Amino acid sequence: MTKNIRFSNLDRKKTVAKLTEEVFDLVVIGGGITGGGIALDAASRGFKVALVEKNDFASGTSSKSTKLIHGGLRYLKQFDFWLVKEVGSERAIVHKLAPHLVLPEKMLLPLIENGSYGKWLTSIGLKVYDILAQVTGDDKRKMLEKKEALKLEPLLPKKILKGAGYYAEYRTDDARLTMETIKTSLHHGAMALNYAEVKDFIYEEGIVAGVKVKDTVMDTEFSIKSKYVISAAGPWVDDLRGINNSKKGKRLHLTKGVHLVFPYEKLPIKQSVYFDIPDGRMMFAIPRGKITYIGTTDTNFNENKDEVKTNVADAIYLISAVNNMFPKINLEMEDIISSWAGLRPLIHEEGKSASELSRKDEIFTSDSGLISIAGGKLTGYRKMAERVVNRVGKKLEEEYGVVVKPSDTEHIPLCGNEFKKYKYVKKYIAEIHERLTPEGFSQYDAWYLVTNYGKQTETILQHYAKQKDDNHELGMAKAELKFGIENEMVQTPMDFFIRRTGRLYFDIESIRKLMEPILAEFKIIFKLDDEVIDSYRTTLEEALEEHSNFSLDRI
């Protein structure tokens, strides 16, 4: 098993000291999937890399997506063949890099009377999709008659259903994918720090030569010197361009995407469905363990980027779309058990609506040398990283005579992946289930551990064995927490409950059971006083309320 690298905020002083002492080739601003991808790409090519994130890793857009590694079928309608080709072929690569985390998922596209997609167009579109994305074998698209479609998904609308397209995509946990990408960069010598906000840039003769950072954990400030700086700050890219006095030309256009979560019994679909909304948009319904989630909206956003919330109008829009497509289902506001809302940092195009904006990434370089990257899709993170690091590599060659080797991230498995193929993941889940059955754990528990941590599950089970607790669920959560604090920079209970374990979205009830004992663990491990623990409790309670309560008194 690959050795875990210690990656802990308990060592924060040492980490900060090291960041201030060394001169790096590259500082990456932003700990989302784009920043993580850049850190891995650059470090694996021999760059000396430091990554800083103002909040927790993946706390922005990279924990709020639809959690699909998908080819963007809808971009065929916009004739964006280049984007479909790139992200389509990336799906299989990212699956190979982390088969425990990027799971094959069949997708059903119902064809309905007066819908967005006709039979002929869908058949051709999916065929083109297969060709562009180099899809092979069983994953190739199939066109289904009405009867076959209803057999696969009995909840579809019998009256208006004409058939369906059936094709392959991949599902992931975006925050876990980000975390494992950053951790993998550490194996290539990168350094990374969360809760470290870039407040300004260091300049030498008018050229960016590092960053000034506010450490929000220790309430101190420090500087990191580097030859180059890349801003991959997602929705905050233009803010940093503003600090750098280079916010001119193209700019960001933020749109909000909302997802709602229901108990699986309330929306018991047999596989993922990509379906029409009456307003002409398309939407996903995706079953995942104990829940089914739906999304997404696509609306312009001009408010506080640090407070993106699901409002009642978003919820009504999504629920009515589901009830329209699945007439036997009657979802109501009180059925919502959780939700998430995030921002897409797209590139502004005059006269285009939120849904029409291109998902392509763009790179901006300021006169002072700050490189910024924005736009793009979760699925395309690896190629985005490669493009921007190529640009820095060229500069390194021209200005320092250093020859940079080509990107090789296609062949670098992510942390937790010691599986040759997906079938070995399934075997490992069965093995873990067998090992945990005597302790009272379910098939879901085994699936959850392996699809979150891969082979790192072994380290968590070692922690579990050492600190046996009469309450097995709590014992396992404590073992996960220990792993998260030692190896994944967990600093707050929110880091643990939302981004490392996904519990706020996929198993919200478990937080209500585990909150107090986990807060007690934080108190001991981080040596915290009651005041800090009280503030954590309040934050968690507010998050539970905000993400799950959509009663009409919120209008």
Side-chain angles (χ1 to χ4, degrees):
M1 200 169 94
T2 310
K3 195 174 181 298
N4 294 318
I5 285 185
R6 186 171 164 93
F7 186 35
S8 177
N9 268 314
L10 296 172
D11 309 328
R12 195 171 180 91
K13 275 187 183 165
K14 273 190 219 164
T15 307
V16 170
K18 209 170 170 196
L19 285 168
T20 54
E21 284 160 13
E22 306 196 15
V23 178
F24 292 85
D25 294 318
L26 179 64
V27 164
V28 181
I29 307 170
I33 190 62
T34 309
I38 292 166
L40 175 55
D41 189 283
S44 63
R45 297 202 215 183
F47 283 69
K48 200 174 191 182
V49 180
L51 179 148
V52 286
E53 159 59 47
K54 76 167 186 162
N55 292 310
D56 183 30
F57 302 121
S59 57
T61 301
S62 295
S63 55
K64 316 252 175 51
S65 73
T66 306
K67 304 179 191 296
L68 290 174
I69 296 294
H70 68 117
L73 179 65
R74 75 185 184 86
Y75 308 123
L76 278 181
K77 282 179 82 178
Q78 298 170 1
F79 302 105
D80 203 340
F81 297 117
W82 175 87
L83 186 63
V84 174
K85 182 175 181 0
E86 178 167 290
V87 295
S89 48
E90 276 298 294
R91 296 174 309 168
I93 293 170
V94 182
H95 169 64
K96 186 187 72 179
L97 299 178
H100 61 291
L101 195 52
V102 178
L103 312 171
E105 178 83 8
K106 286 289 188 189
M107 189 74 70
L108 198 60
L109 174 65
L111 305 175
I112 58 168
E113 282 170 22
N114 305 316
S116 302
Y117 291 89
K119 205 164 198 173
W120 183 79
L121 194 66
T122 302
S123 180
I124 296 215
L126 287 174
K127 180 76 178 165
V128 170
Y129 193 57
D130 279 356
I131 292 164
L132 290 176
Q134 298 156 9
V135 176
T136 55
D138 285 349
D139 282 349
K140 281 188 174 175
R141 69 96 170 90
K142 293 185 183 83
M143 295 306 296
L144 308 176
E145 294 301 322
K146 177 175 179 170
K147 205 174 170 183
E148 295 172 291
L150 282 168
K151 197 176 173 188
L152 274 177
E153 189 45 77
L155 293 173
L156 289 172
K158 230 180 228 175
K159 278 184 185 171
I160 57 169
L161 187 70
K162 299 171 95 175
Y166 194 51
Y167 62 107
E169 295 286 22
Y170 295 89
R171 195 185 69 216
T172 192
D173 180 326
D174 45 7
R176 292 277 347 146
L177 185 66
T178 301
M179 195 68 233
E180 301 301 9
T181 302
I182 292 171
K183 282 161 57 184
T184 307
S185 77
L186 307 181
H187 286 272
H188 295 270
M191 293 186 70
L193 190 69
N194 52 1
Y195 298 101
E197 182 177 1
V198 170
K199 289 291 195 182
D200 205 348
F201 297 93
I202 299 166
Y203 298 91
E204 283 176 15
E205 296 174 11
I207 301 297
V208 169
V211 291
K212 293 178 181 177
V213 179
K214 165 86 190 219
D215 182 336
T216 56
V217 172
M218 300 199 294
D219 197 22
T220 55
E221 295 190 0
F222 64 93
S223 296
I224 307 173
K225 290 182 178 168
S226 67
K227 295 187 179 90
Y228 304 103
V229 176
I230 295 176
S231 168
W236 294 270
V237 154
D238 275 356
D239 296 12
L240 286 157
R241 289 169 81 205
I243 291 169
N244 179 241
N245 296 317
S246 61
K247 194 174 152 189
K248 49 182 182 266
K250 288 196 175 179
R251 60 185 168 86
L252 291 192
H253 184 134
L254 302 181
T255 75
K256 182 174 85 162
V258 165
H259 295 79
L260 303 179
V261 181
F262 300 90
Y264 179 72
E265 310 78 68
K266 289 285 181 185
L267 186 52
I269 50 175
K270 293 177 186 276
Q271 71 273 297
S272 295
V273 185
Y274 183 43
F275 61 94
D276 279 273
I277 304 181
D279 67 6
R281 292 184 64 250
M282 300 286 289
M283 192 169 126
F284 291 102
I286 300 170
R288 184 189 185 110
K290 300 175 180 181
I291 59 102
T292 302
Y293 65 93
I294 62 169
T296 175
T297 59
D298 201 355
T299 52
N300 293 322
F301 185 86
N302 300 302
E303 296 159 50
N304 182 350
K305 294 188 287 290
D306 292 300
E307 287 187 28
V308 188
K309 294 180 179 176
T310 303
N311 60 39
V312 173
D314 298 323
I316 290 169
Y317 174 81
L318 293 172
I319 284 177
S320 59
V322 170
N323 289 342
N324 181 67
M325 178 50 66
F326 302 104
K328 293 175 197 159
I329 296 294
N330 185 26
L331 291 179
E332 294 179 359
M333 299 289 264
E334 45 269 33
D335 295 327
I336 301 168
I337 52 171
S338 189
S339 68
W340 65 88
L343 298 177
R344 303 175 188 88
L346 305 176
I347 312 302
H348 182 72
E349 294 173 73
E350 284 304 330
K352 287 205 173 179
S353 72
S355 293
E356 289 169 334
L357 289 173
S358 170
R359 266 53 178 171
K360 271 186 189 165
D361 54 283
E362 296 235 8
I363 300 168
F364 315 95
T365 306
S366 75
D367 295 341
S368 60
L370 173 66
I371 300 162
S372 303
I373 185 164
K377 289 174 59 59
L378 173 67
T379 308
Y381 81 90
R382 209 184 57 80
K383 296 303 282 183
M384 286 171 70
E386 183 181 331
R387 276 193 285 278
V388 76
V389 176
N390 282 348
R391 192 173 285 205
V392 178
K394 209 172 166 197
K395 282 174 170 282
L396 203 60
E397 203 169 323
E398 287 165 3
E399 293 165 18
Y400 294 90
V402 176
V403 179
V404 175
K405 61 185 182 180
S407 175
D408 192 38
T409 53
E410 186 179 342
H411 302 111
I412 299 173
L414 298 185
C415 286
N417 172 20
E418 290 172 34
F419 307 100
K420 285 197 174 75
K421 283 187 178 161
Y422 179 60
K423 67 176 184 181
Y424 296 111
V425 175
K426 291 197 279 192
K427 258 173 105 171
Y428 185 57
I429 292 170
E431 182 200 318
I432 293 296
H433 182 215
E434 201 176 310
R435 282 160 60 183
L436 288 177
T437 300
E439 301 278 339
F441 289 102
S442 66
Q443 167 74 23
Y444 171 82
D445 297 318
W447 173 86
Y448 160 80
L449 283 169
V450 175
T451 57
N452 256 15
Y453 302 102
K455 279 291 176 85
Q456 297 166 123
T457 298
E458 295 299 332
T459 308
I460 290 165
L461 294 183
Q462 284 165 16
H463 291 320
Y464 174 74
K466 279 178 197 163
Q467 55 90 57
K468 287 277 187 179
D469 199 292
D470 290 342
N471 178 335
H472 295 318
E473 185 186 5
L474 174 58
M476 192 63 80
K478 283 182 181 176
E480 274 189 272
L481 179 64
K482 188 168 170 56
F483 177 78
I485 288 172
E486 290 181 357
N487 304 106
E488 296 193 339
M489 285 301 257
V490 165
Q491 174 66 31
T492 75
M494 298 294 281
D495 303 342
F496 177 68
F497 281 128
I498 302 178
R499 291 166 288 276
R500 303 301 182 276
T501 65
R503 287 176 190 271
L504 185 68
Y505 307 142
F506 309 130
D507 193 6
I508 197 166
E509 279 309 310
S510 70
I511 301 182
R512 295 185 171 100
K513 284 188 275 184
L514 296 169
M515 190 194 308
E516 289 307 326
I518 290 296
L519 286 171
E521 290 293 298
F522 267 90
K523 187 173 184 179
I524 296 162
I525 295 167
F526 285 98
K527 301 180 173 62
L528 301 171
D529 60 30
D530 289 343
E531 200 178 329
V532 174
I533 294 299
D534 287 345
S535 76
Y536 284 161
R537 183 183 294 108
T538 302
T539 305
L540 277 171
E541 284 168 350
E542 284 171 357
L544 289 170
E545 172 73 12
E546 178 203 318
H547 288 266
S548 63
N549 177 13
F550 288 89
S551 55
L552 292 177
D553 58 6
R554 268 182 59 167
I555 293 180

